[in-house]
Amino acid sequence: MNGHGSNWQGKTALITGGVTGIGLGIARAFAAQGMDLVLTYRNEAHRDEAAAWFVANGYAAPRFARLDVTDRAGWAALAAEVGPVHVLVNNAGVSVFGPTDEASHDDYDWIMGVNFGGIANALVAMLPGMKAHRQGGHVVNVASMAAFCAGPQAGIYTASKFAVRGLSESLRYNLAPYGIGVSLMCPGLTRTNAWGSALKRPEGFAGSGFAPIDRAELEAFGQAFELGMDPLEVGEKTLRGISENRFLILTHPDHRVDFEEIHAELMAALPDEPIPPGRAEIERLRREANRAAAAGSRIGISDLT
């Protein structure tokens, strides 16, 4: 196994937040391929519901692990217990809505700590084993279309997803020599209860700068998620993307207009003027180094000048 292809039978996949929503959709798609699943959870009722679904549908019961993705000691213990995996899906995330200019330190620390810090913790804990077993594999970092499309009501969430995007784009070059692929999976509106994460805020991050949650307003907003894509479809598209070793897995066609507008704005912002030969050469070397890295070469600073 080199991290790509369609033979996932018997391979081990660890999915954070794998008992509900998109995580469960990915788990279901993986189970259909005969993968050995390790699903992390926080809520025991959700774990029990997921376990019942697998049994009812004739699949082997996954292994479950209670985990707070911000807990580094918990990650170390899980890595020791589970051993090396072939596929790591970093799916756990939270969001809180409110004007970014009113955010507190607690708002930043909680959202960034889960959405970005949780992925960093997973990579530190799990990548050594993935590299050491020399069987290749794949890392899927679940972001959101917010990794490309910013808005006025979820600035910290958006910042965390931009960070995941940047991390993933660099990580793919670092892991290519080990036959480990990296995908940035960015779903759009999906039929989940992700909108309710603001109601599950830990006591240690209670000092929000945003106005108190209006539960009725939040639940009304949550109704829009019922129009979203089935999580299983998102999971199946994710499986197809990693089997084809695609870096970008964009599951929803809904954002074509956004990308066209972003592209036009970027191109319009570039100065239309000659580029000095020295600078042009440095950028040419950078592009060549990136292509070589994507093909599996190790790149050092000396390759950039």
CSV table of all heavy atoms in Angstrom, one decimal, residues 184-238:
chain,number,residue,atom,x,y,z
A,184,LEU,N,-7.0,17.8,2.0
A,184,LEU,CA,-7.8,18.8,2.7
A,184,LEU,C,-9.2,18.6,2.2
A,184,LEU,O,-9.5,18.9,1.0
A,184,LEU,CB,-7.2,20.2,2.3
A,184,LEU,CG,-8.0,21.4,2.9
A,184,LEU,CD1,-7.8,21.5,4.4
A,184,LEU,CD2,-7.6,22.7,2.2
A,185,MET,N,-10.1,18.2,3.1
A,185,MET,CA,-11.5,18.0,2.7
A,185,MET,C,-12.3,19.1,3.2
A,185,MET,O,-12.3,19.4,4.4
A,185,MET,CB,-12.0,16.6,3.3
A,185,MET,CG,-13.2,16.1,2.6
A,185,MET,SD,-14.7,16.8,3.3
A,185,MET,CE,-15.0,15.7,4.7
A,186,CYS,N,-13.0,19.8,2.3
A,186,CYS,CA,-13.7,21.0,2.6
A,186,CYS,C,-15.2,20.8,2.2
A,186,CYS,O,-15.6,21.0,1.1
A,186,CYS,CB,-13.2,22.2,1.9
A,186,CYS,SG,-11.5,22.6,2.3
A,187,PRO,N,-16.0,20.4,3.2
A,187,PRO,CA,-17.4,20.2,2.9
A,187,PRO,C,-18.2,21.6,3.0
A,187,PRO,O,-17.7,22.5,3.7
A,187,PRO,CB,-17.9,19.3,4.0
A,187,PRO,CG,-17.0,19.6,5.2
A,187,PRO,CD,-15.7,20.0,4.6
A,188,GLY,N,-19.3,21.6,2.3
A,188,GLY,CA,-20.2,22.7,2.4
A,188,GLY,C,-21.3,22.3,3.4
A,188,GLY,O,-21.1,21.5,4.3
A,189,LEU,N,-22.5,22.9,3.2
A,189,LEU,CA,-23.6,22.6,4.0
A,189,LEU,C,-24.0,21.1,4.0
A,189,LEU,O,-24.2,20.5,3.0
A,189,LEU,CB,-24.9,23.4,3.6
A,189,LEU,CG,-26.1,23.4,4.5
A,189,LEU,CD1,-25.7,24.1,5.8
A,189,LEU,CD2,-27.2,24.1,3.9
A,190,THR,N,-23.9,20.5,5.2
A,190,THR,CA,-24.1,19.1,5.4
A,190,THR,C,-25.2,18.9,6.5
A,190,THR,O,-25.2,19.6,7.5
A,190,THR,CB,-22.8,18.4,5.8
A,190,THR,OG1,-21.8,18.7,4.7
A,190,THR,CG2,-23.0,16.9,5.8
A,191,ARG,N,-25.9,17.8,6.4
A,191,ARG,CA,-27.0,17.5,7.3
A,191,ARG,C,-26.5,17.0,8.6
A,191,ARG,O,-26.4,15.8,8.8
A,191,ARG,CB,-28.0,16.6,6.7
A,191,ARG,CG,-29.4,16.5,7.5
A,191,ARG,CD,-30.5,16.0,6.6
A,191,ARG,NE,-30.2,14.6,6.1
A,191,ARG,CZ,-30.0,14.3,4.8
A,191,ARG,NH1,-30.0,15.2,3.9
A,191,ARG,NH2,-29.8,13.1,4.5
A,192,THR,N,-26.0,17.9,9.5
A,192,THR,CA,-25.4,17.5,10.8
A,192,THR,C,-26.0,18.4,11.9
A,192,THR,O,-26.7,19.4,11.6
A,192,THR,CB,-23.9,17.6,10.8
A,192,THR,OG1,-23.5,19.0,10.8
A,192,THR,CG2,-23.3,16.9,9.5
A,193,ASN,N,-25.6,18.1,13.1
A,193,ASN,CA,-25.9,19.0,14.2
A,193,ASN,C,-24.7,19.9,14.6
A,193,ASN,O,-24.6,20.3,15.8
A,193,ASN,CB,-26.4,18.2,15.4
A,193,ASN,CG,-25.3,17.3,15.9
A,193,ASN,OD1,-24.2,17.2,15.4
A,193,ASN,ND2,-25.7,16.6,17.0
A,194,ALA,N,-23.8,20.1,13.7
A,194,ALA,CA,-22.6,20.9,14.0
A,194,ALA,C,-22.9,22.3,14.5
A,194,ALA,O,-22.1,22.9,15.2
A,194,ALA,CB,-21.7,21.0,12.8
A,195,TRP,N,-24.1,22.8,14.1
A,195,TRP,CA,-24.5,24.2,14.5
A,195,TRP,C,-24.6,24.3,16.0
A,195,TRP,O,-24.5,25.4,16.6
A,195,TRP,CB,-25.8,24.6,13.9
A,195,TRP,CG,-26.9,23.5,14.1
A,195,TRP,CD1,-27.2,22.5,13.4
A,195,TRP,CD2,-27.8,23.5,15.2
A,195,TRP,NE1,-28.2,21.7,14.0
A,195,TRP,CE2,-28.6,22.4,15.1
A,195,TRP,CE3,-28.0,24.4,16.3
A,195,TRP,CZ2,-29.6,22.1,16.0
A,195,TRP,CZ3,-29.0,24.1,17.3
A,195,TRP,CH2,-29.8,22.9,17.1
A,196,GLY,N,-24.8,23.1,16.7
A,196,GLY,CA,-25.1,23.2,18.2
A,196,GLY,C,-23.8,23.2,19.0
A,196,GLY,O,-24.0,23.1,20.3
A,197,SER,N,-22.7,23.2,18.4
A,197,SER,CA,-21.4,23.1,19.3
A,197,SER,C,-21.3,24.3,20.2
A,197,SER,O,-20.7,24.2,21.3
A,197,SER,CB,-20.2,23.1,18.4
A,197,SER,OG,-20.1,24.2,17.6
A,198,ALA,N,-22.0,25.4,19.9
A,198,ALA,CA,-21.9,26.6,20.8
A,198,ALA,C,-22.6,26.3,22.1
A,198,ALA,O,-22.4,27.0,23.1
A,198,ALA,CB,-22.6,27.8,20.1
A,199,LEU,N,-23.5,25.3,22.1
A,199,LEU,CA,-24.2,24.9,23.4
A,199,LEU,C,-23.4,24.0,24.2
A,199,LEU,O,-23.9,23.6,25.3
A,199,LEU,CB,-25.6,24.3,23.0
A,199,LEU,CG,-26.5,25.1,22.1
A,199,LEU,CD1,-27.7,24.3,21.7
A,199,LEU,CD2,-27.0,26.4,22.9
A,200,LYS,N,-22.2,23.6,23.8
A,200,LYS,CA,-21.4,22.6,24.5
A,200,LYS,C,-20.1,23.2,24.9
A,200,LYS,O,-19.1,22.5,25.1
A,200,LYS,CB,-21.2,21.4,23.6
A,200,LYS,CG,-22.5,20.8,23.1
A,200,LYS,CD,-22.2,19.7,22.0
A,200,LYS,CE,-23.5,19.2,21.4
A,200,LYS,NZ,-23.2,18.2,20.3
A,201,ARG,N,-20.1,24.5,25.2
A,201,ARG,CA,-18.9,25.2,25.5
A,201,ARG,C,-18.3,24.7,26.9
A,201,ARG,O,-19.1,24.7,27.8
A,201,ARG,CB,-19.1,26.7,25.5
A,201,ARG,CG,-17.9,27.6,25.7
A,201,ARG,CD,-18.3,29.0,25.7
A,201,ARG,NE,-17.2,29.9,25.7
A,201,ARG,CZ,-16.8,30.6,24.6
A,201,ARG,NH1,-17.6,30.6,23.5
A,201,ARG,NH2,-15.8,31.4,24.7
A,202,PRO,N,-17.1,24.3,26.9
A,202,PRO,CA,-16.5,23.9,28.2
A,202,PRO,C,-16.5,25.0,29.2
A,202,PRO,O,-16.3,26.2,28.9
A,202,PRO,CB,-15.1,23.5,27.9
A,202,PRO,CG,-15.1,23.2,26.4
A,202,PRO,CD,-16.1,24.2,25.8
A,203,GLU,N,-16.6,24.7,30.5
A,203,GLU,CA,-16.6,25.7,31.6
A,203,GLU,C,-15.3,26.5,31.6
A,203,GLU,O,-15.3,27.7,32.0
A,203,GLU,CB,-16.8,25.0,32.9
A,203,GLU,CG,-18.2,24.5,33.1
A,203,GLU,CD,-18.4,23.9,34.5
A,203,GLU,OE1,-17.5,24.0,35.3
A,203,GLU,OE2,-19.5,23.3,34.7
A,204,GLY,N,-14.2,25.8,31.2
A,204,GLY,CA,-12.9,26.5,31.3
A,204,GLY,C,-12.8,27.6,30.2
A,204,GLY,O,-11.8,28.4,30.3
A,205,PHE,N,-13.7,27.7,29.3
A,205,PHE,CA,-13.7,28.7,28.3
A,205,PHE,C,-15.0,29.5,28.3
A,205,PHE,O,-15.5,30.0,27.3
A,205,PHE,CB,-13.4,28.1,26.9
A,205,PHE,CG,-12.1,27.4,26.8
A,205,PHE,CD1,-12.1,26.0,26.9
A,205,PHE,CD2,-11.0,28.0,26.5
A,205,PHE,CE1,-10.9,25.3,26.8
A,205,PHE,CE2,-9.8,27.4,26.4
A,205,PHE,CZ,-9.7,26.0,26.5
A,206,ALA,N,-15.5,29.7,29.5
A,206,ALA,CA,-16.9,30.3,29.6
A,206,ALA,C,-16.9,31.8,29.4
A,206,ALA,O,-17.9,32.4,29.1
A,206,ALA,CB,-17.4,30.0,31.0
A,207,GLY,N,-15.7,32.5,29.4
A,207,GLY,CA,-15.7,33.9,29.3
A,207,GLY,C,-15.8,34.4,27.9
A,207,GLY,O,-14.8,35.1,27.4
A,208,SER,N,-16.9,34.2,27.2
A,208,SER,CA,-17.0,34.6,25.8
A,208,SER,C,-17.3,36.2,25.8
A,208,SER,O,-17.9,36.8,26.6
A,208,SER,CB,-18.2,33.9,25.2
A,208,SER,OG,-18.4,34.4,23.9
A,209,GLY,N,-16.8,36.7,24.7
A,209,GLY,CA,-17.0,38.2,24.4
A,209,GLY,C,-18.3,38.4,23.6
A,209,GLY,O,-18.7,39.5,23.4
A,210,PHE,N,-18.9,37.3,23.1
A,210,PHE,CA,-20.1,37.4,22.3
A,210,PHE,C,-21.3,37.5,23.2
A,210,PHE,O,-21.3,37.1,24.4
A,210,PHE,CB,-20.2,36.2,21.4
A,210,PHE,CG,-19.1,36.0,20.5
A,210,PHE,CD1,-18.5,34.7,20.3
A,210,PHE,CD2,-18.5,37.0,19.8
A,210,PHE,CE1,-17.5,34.5,19.4
A,210,PHE,CE2,-17.5,36.8,18.9
A,210,PHE,CZ,-16.9,35.6,18.7
A,211,ALA,N,-22.4,37.9,22.7
A,211,ALA,CA,-23.7,38.0,23.4
A,211,ALA,C,-24.1,36.6,23.8
A,211,ALA,O,-23.8,35.6,23.2
A,211,ALA,CB,-24.7,38.7,22.5
A,212,PRO,N,-24.9,36.5,24.9
A,212,PRO,CA,-25.4,35.2,25.3
A,212,PRO,C,-26.1,34.5,24.2
A,212,PRO,O,-26.8,35.2,23.4
A,212,PRO,CB,-26.3,35.6,26.5
A,212,PRO,CG,-25.8,36.8,27.0
A,212,PRO,CD,-25.3,37.6,25.9
A,213,ILE,N,-26.1,33.2,24.2
A,213,ILE,CA,-26.7,32.4,23.1
A,213,ILE,C,-28.2,32.5,23.2
A,213,ILE,O,-28.8,32.3,24.3
A,213,ILE,CB,-26.2,31.0,23.2
A,213,ILE,CG1,-24.7,30.9,22.9
A,213,ILE,CG2,-27.0,30.1,22.1
A,213,ILE,CD1,-24.2,29.5,23.2
A,214,ASP,N,-28.8,32.9,22.1
A,214,ASP,CA,-30.3,32.8,22.0
A,214,ASP,C,-30.6,31.5,21.4
A,214,ASP,O,-30.4,31.2,20.2
A,214,ASP,CB,-30.8,33.9,21.1
A,214,ASP,CG,-32.3,34.0,21.0
A,214,ASP,OD1,-32.9,32.9,21.0
A,214,ASP,OD2,-32.9,35.1,20.8
A,215,ARG,N,-31.0,30.5,22.2
A,215,ARG,CA,-31.1,29.1,21.8
A,215,ARG,C,-32.2,29.0,20.7
A,215,ARG,O,-31.9,28.3,19.7
A,215,ARG,CB,-31.5,28.3,23.0
A,215,ARG,CG,-31.5,26.8,22.6
A,215,ARG,CD,-31.9,25.9,23.8
A,215,ARG,NE,-31.8,24.5,23.4
A,215,ARG,CZ,-30.8,23.7,23.9
A,215,ARG,NH1,-29.9,24.2,24.8
A,215,ARG,NH2,-30.7,22.4,23.5
A,216,ALA,N,-33.3,29.8,20.8
A,216,ALA,CA,-34.3,29.7,19.7
A,216,ALA,C,-33.7,30.2,18.4
A,216,ALA,O,-34.0,29.6,17.3
A,216,ALA,CB,-35.5,30.5,20.1
A,217,GLU,N,-32.9,31.2,18.4
A,217,GLU,CA,-32.3,31.7,17.2
A,217,GLU,C,-31.4,30.7,16.6
A,217,GLU,O,-31.3,30.5,15.4
A,217,GLU,CB,-31.6,33.1,17.5
A,217,GLU,CG,-31.0,33.7,16.2
A,217,GLU,CD,-30.3,35.0,16.6
A,217,GLU,OE1,-29.6,35.1,17.6
A,217,GLU,OE2,-30.5,36.0,15.8
A,218,LEU,N,-30.5,30.1,17.5
A,218,LEU,CA,-29.6,29.1,17.0
A,218,LEU,C,-30.3,27.9,16.4
A,218,LEU,O,-29.8,27.4,15.4
A,218,LEU,CB,-28.7,28.7,18.2
A,218,LEU,CG,-27.5,27.8,17.9
A,218,LEU,CD1,-26.5,28.5,16.9
A,218,LEU,CD2,-26.8,27.4,19.2
A,219,GLU,N,-31.3,27.5,17.1
A,219,GLU,CA,-32.1,26.3,16.6
A,219,GLU,C,-32.7,26.6,15.2
A,219,GLU,O,-32.8,25.7,14.4
A,219,GLU,CB,-33.1,25.8,17.6
A,219,GLU,CG,-32.4,25.2,18.8
A,219,GLU,CD,-33.4,24.8,19.9
A,219,GLU,OE1,-34.6,25.2,19.8
A,219,GLU,OE2,-33.0,24.0,20.8
A,220,ALA,N,-33.2,27.8,15.1
A,220,ALA,CA,-33.8,28.2,13.8
A,220,ALA,C,-32.7,28.2,12.7
A,220,ALA,O,-32.9,27.8,11.6
A,220,ALA,CB,-34.4,29.6,13.9
A,221,PHE,N,-31.5,28.7,13.1
A,221,PHE,CA,-30.4,28.6,12.1
A,221,PHE,C,-30.0,27.2,11.8
A,221,PHE,O,-29.8,26.8,10.6
A,221,PHE,CB,-29.2,29.3,12.7
A,221,PHE,CG,-27.9,29.2,11.9
A,221,PHE,CD1,-27.7,29.8,10.7
A,221,PHE,CD2,-26.9,28.3,12.4
A,221,PHE,CE1,-26.5,29.6,10.0
A,221,PHE,CE2,-25.7,28.2,11.7
A,221,PHE,CZ,-25.5,28.8,10.5
A,222,GLY,N,-30.1,26.3,12.8
A,222,GLY,CA,-29.8,24.9,12.6
A,222,GLY,C,-30.7,24.2,11.6
A,222,GLY,O,-30.4,23.2,11.0
A,223,GLN,N,-31.9,24.7,11.4
A,223,GLN,CA,-32.9,24.1,10.5
A,223,GLN,C,-32.3,24.2,9.0
A,223,GLN,O,-32.6,23.3,8.2
A,223,GLN,CB,-34.2,24.8,10.5
A,223,GLN,CG,-35.0,24.6,11.8
A,223,GLN,CD,-36.3,25.4,11.9
A,223,GLN,OE1,-36.7,26.0,10.9
A,223,GLN,NE2,-36.9,25.4,13.1
A,224,ALA,N,-31.5,25.2,8.7
A,224,ALA,CA,-30.9,25.2,7.4
A,224,ALA,C,-30.0,24.0,7.1
A,224,ALA,O,-29.9,23.6,6.0
A,224,ALA,CB,-30.0,26.5,7.3
A,225,PHE,N,-29.4,23.4,8.2
A,225,PHE,CA,-28.6,22.2,8.0
A,225,PHE,C,-29.4,21.0,7.5
A,225,PHE,O,-28.8,20.1,6.9
A,225,PHE,CB,-27.9,21.9,9.3
A,225,PHE,CG,-26.7,22.8,9.6
A,225,PHE,CD1,-26.9,24.1,10.0
A,225,PHE,CD2,-25.4,22.4,9.5
A,225,PHE,CE1,-25.9,25.0,10.3
A,225,PHE,CE2,-24.3,23.2,9.8
A,225,PHE,CZ,-24.6,24.5,10.2
A,226,GLU,N,-30.7,21.0,7.7
A,226,GLU,CA,-31.5,20.0,7.2
A,226,GLU,C,-31.5,19.9,5.6
A,226,GLU,O,-31.9,18.9,5.0
A,226,GLU,CB,-32.9,20.1,7.7
A,226,GLU,CG,-33.0,19.8,9.2
A,226,GLU,CD,-32.5,18.5,9.6
A,226,GLU,OE1,-32.8,17.5,9.0
A,226,GLU,OE2,-31.6,18.4,10.6
A,227,LEU,N,-31.2,21.0,5.0
A,227,LEU,CA,-31.1,21.1,3.6
A,227,LEU,C,-29.7,20.6,3.0
A,227,LEU,O,-29.5,20.6,1.8
A,227,LEU,CB,-31.3,22.6,3.1
A,227,LEU,CG,-32.6,23.2,3.5
A,227,LEU,CD1,-32.6,24.7,3.1
A,227,LEU,CD2,-33.8,22.5,2.8
A,228,GLY,N,-28.9,20.3,4.0
A,228,GLY,CA,-27.5,19.9,3.6
A,228,GLY,C,-27.4,18.5,3.0
A,228,GLY,O,-28.3,17.7,2.9
A,229,MET,N,-26.2,18.3,2.5
A,229,MET,CA,-25.8,17.0,1.9
A,229,MET,C,-25.8,15.9,2.9
A,229,MET,O,-25.5,16.1,4.1
A,229,MET,CB,-24.4,17.1,1.2
A,229,MET,CG,-23.9,15.9,0.5
A,229,MET,SD,-22.3,16.1,-0.3
A,229,MET,CE,-22.8,17.2,-1.7
A,230,ASP,N,-26.2,14.7,2.5
A,230,ASP,CA,-26.1,13.5,3.4
A,230,ASP,C,-24.7,13.3,3.8
A,230,ASP,O,-23.8,13.2,3.0
A,230,ASP,CB,-26.7,12.3,2.7
A,230,ASP,CG,-26.9,11.1,3.6
A,230,ASP,OD1,-26.0,10.8,4.4
A,230,ASP,OD2,-27.9,10.4,3.4
A,231,PRO,N,-24.4,13.1,5.1
A,231,PRO,CA,-23.0,12.8,5.5
A,231,PRO,C,-22.4,11.6,4.9
A,231,PRO,O,-21.2,11.6,4.7
A,231,PRO,CB,-23.1,12.6,7.0
A,231,PRO,CG,-24.4,13.4,7.4
A,231,PRO,CD,-25.3,13.3,6.3
A,232,LEU,N,-23.2,10.6,4.5
A,232,LEU,CA,-22.6,9.5,3.9
A,232,LEU,C,-22.1,9.8,2.5
A,232,LEU,O,-21.1,9.3,2.1
A,232,LEU,CB,-23.7,8.4,3.7
A,232,LEU,CG,-23.2,7.1,3.0
A,232,LEU,CD1,-22.0,6.5,3.6
A,232,LEU,CD2,-24.4,6.1,2.9
A,233,GLU,N,-22.8,10.7,1.8
A,233,GLU,CA,-22.3,11.2,0.5
A,233,GLU,C,-21.0,11.9,0.6
A,233,GLU,O,-20.0,11.7,-0.2
A,233,GLU,CB,-23.3,12.1,-0.2
A,233,GLU,CG,-22.9,12.5,-1.6
A,233,GLU,CD,-23.9,13.4,-2.3
A,233,GLU,OE1,-25.0,13.5,-1.8
A,233,GLU,OE2,-23.5,14.0,-3.4
A,234,VAL,N,-20.9,12.7,1.7
A,234,VAL,CA,-19.6,13.4,2.0
A,234,VAL,C,-18.5,12.3,2.2
A,234,VAL,O,-17.4,12.4,1.8
A,234,VAL,CB,-19.7,14.3,3.2
A,234,VAL,CG1,-18.4,14.9,3.5
A,234,VAL,CG2,-20.7,15.4,2.9
A,235,GLY,N,-18.9,11.3,3.0
A,235,GLY,CA,-17.9,10.2,3.3
A,235,GLY,C,-17.5,9.5,2.1
A,235,GLY,O,-16.3,9.2,1.9
A,236,GLU,N,-18.4,9.2,1.2
A,236,GLU,CA,-18.0,8.4,0.0
A,236,GLU,C,-17.2,9.3,-0.9
A,236,GLU,O,-16.2,8.8,-1.6
A,236,GLU,CB,-19.3,8.0,-0.7
A,236,GLU,CG,-20.1,6.9,0.0
A,236,GLU,CD,-21.5,6.7,-0.6
A,236,GLU,OE1,-22.0,7.6,-1.3
A,236,GLU,OE2,-22.0,5.6,-0.3
A,237,LYS,N,-17.4,10.6,-1.0
A,237,LYS,CA,-16.6,11.5,-1.8
A,237,LYS,C,-15.2,11.6,-1.2
A,237,LYS,O,-14.2,11.7,-1.9
A,237,LYS,CB,-17.2,12.8,-1.9
A,237,LYS,CG,-18.5,12.8,-2.9
A,237,LYS,CD,-19.1,14.2,-3.0
A,237,LYS,CE,-20.2,14.2,-4.0
A,237,LYS,NZ,-20.9,15.5,-4.1
A,238,THR,N,-15.1,11.6,0.1
A,238,THR,CA,-13.8,11.6,0.8
A,238,THR,C,-13.0,10.3,0.5
A,238,THR,O,-11.8,10.4,0.2
A,238,THR,CB,-14.0,11.7,2.3
A,238,THR,OG1,-14.8,12.9,2.6
A,238,THR,CG2,-12.7,11.7,3.1
